[in-house]
Amino acid sequence: RSPSFPMLSLAPLASLSLVAPLAPAMRMGAQPVMRETAEDLVGLAESLNPNIGFWDPLGLAKRDFWDQGNEATIGFLRHAEIKHGRVAMAGFVGYCVQANGIYWPWPLANPGQEDEITHAMISAAGSPPEQWDALPTSAKVQIILFLAIIEYCGEQGKPHYMRGGKPGAFPKLTENKGIPHPVPLNLYDPFGWSANMDEATKERRLLMEINNGRLAMLGIFSFMSASKGLIVPGLDFIPPYAGEYMGYFSASDGSLPFVTDMVEGWAKLAIWNQ
């Protein structure tokens, strides 16, 4: 009923990006430094949506995270929002694709063997989050390791986004020394189509990306909330989900250390599932 390629869990990426990031020192000859202030955020908000403008009810724009200074904090928050927006856009589209029964036609694991696992089998597990729970443990481990490598590479940008680097910029994988083997393509613009794009167009597209990312974050959390029985107008068709969204592993991954204890702990806390 849903597709094959598993919906990326938001939990691992969210947790990774909320960890205090590394902040390598800026080198001579590095990219131009841009340190944003609270006043810059006001101007950005007007460019993004003049009808709403700047809205910061928690006063995050005035905070100082990890004693790194306000400008470093703003760089972290800007980068985190862009990254979360990108993950949410992937998750929202993935949810829609999987919920409509679209999946890859080839095997997922153990091709040609008696215990072969196909994408069709994963798709038949139910809703997108149920498909995630149905994934083999080995697939989940590979995904989280891949995310860890991507997160590590993302922290290698110079200057770092907390030290004047451009929020949302991702270093080139083809030039990154943190990857154990050569990578032929970059994560952003792998075919170099934007190589000759002028800066004004890049900035305009970044504003579009931020707006789309914010909308996607609202969208994917609406799906998740509706599946947990919360009232979300227009989403009554979302099937219920009894699992734990914030749990990367589920009961089917009990072969891993500590997973069984974690699942039992979630069951005690998740009173809405009882």
Side-chain angles (χ1 to χ4, degrees):
R1 192 171 80 106
S2 318
S4 88
F5 53 92
M7 180 183 70
L8 293 178
S9 170
L10 298 182
L13 284 186
S15 60
L16 284 171
S17 58
L18 289 178
V19 175
L22 302 174
M26 193 181 74
R27 301 177 303 175
M28 293 297 293
Q31 298 177 1
V33 175
M34 52 175 292
R35 297 182 182 276
E36 294 181 299
T37 64
E39 289 73 20
D40 294 321
L41 295 183
V42 175
L44 176 65
E46 292 294 332
S47 299
L48 289 168
N49 192 328
N51 293 322
I52 297 178
F54 183 68
W55 189 64
D56 183 21
L58 299 180
L60 295 178
K62 301 177 181 178
R63 300 293 181 87
D64 179 0
F65 291 176
W66 310 293
D67 296 324
Q68 296 294 306
N70 177 249
E71 292 180 350
T73 299
I74 290 176
F76 169 76
L77 293 172
R78 288 267 285 116
H79 189 81
E81 180 188 27
I82 294 172
K83 180 161 48 173
H84 280 78
R86 290 169 178 169
V87 175
M89 286 188 280
F92 183 86
V93 173
Y95 193 106
C96 294
V97 169
Q98 291 181 245
N100 283 279
I102 303 173
Y103 55 85
W104 299 114
W106 50 76
L108 174 66
N110 309 321
Q113 302 180 25
E114 293 184 1
D115 58 347
E116 178 183 83
I117 300 176
T118 65
H119 286 90
M121 295 166 61
I122 301 299
S123 178
S127 63
E130 290 171 332
Q131 293 176 45
W132 172 261
D133 291 339
L135 279 177
T137 301
S138 58
K140 296 179 182 178
V141 171
Q142 290 178 50
I143 291 172
I144 198 170
L145 289 177
F146 171 75
L147 297 178
I149 293 174
I150 291 296
E151 185 73 9
Y152 172 79
C153 293
E155 294 295 322
Q156 304 309 305
K158 291 181 174 53
H160 191 268
Y161 53 84
M162 290 182 69
R163 294 293 180 266
K166 185 176 181 179
F170 193 88
K172 292 183 177 181
L173 295 178
T174 54
E175 303 175 0
N176 200 303
K177 298 181 180 180
I179 301 179
H181 59 80
V183 177
L185 300 173
N186 292 310
L187 186 64
Y188 170 72
D189 192 22
F191 304 110
W193 291 340
S194 64
N196 298 321
M197 186 181 301
D198 60 86
E199 290 301 319
T201 302
K202 290 182 180 179
E203 289 300 321
R204 179 176 57 84
R205 294 183 61 174
L206 180 58
L207 295 179
M208 294 168 57
E209 181 185 31
I210 295 174
N211 276 329
N212 289 335
R214 290 176 176 179
L215 185 60
M217 285 187 277
L218 292 174
I220 191 63
F221 270 92
S222 295
F223 286 162
M224 297 164 65
S225 299
S227 72
K228 283 298 185 179
L230 300 178
I231 304 300
V232 182
L235 294 183
D236 296 340
F237 61 90
I238 298 294
Y241 173 56
E244 178 54 60
Y245 278 115
M246 296 306 292
Y248 186 86
F249 297 106
S250 61
S252 61
D253 305 308
S255 59
L256 296 176
F258 312 116
V259 169
T260 299
D261 293 337
M262 287 190 292
V263 172
E264 292 177 352
W266 298 330
K268 294 177 181 178
L269 293 174
I271 57 175
W272 54 84
N273 289 334
Q274 300 177 3

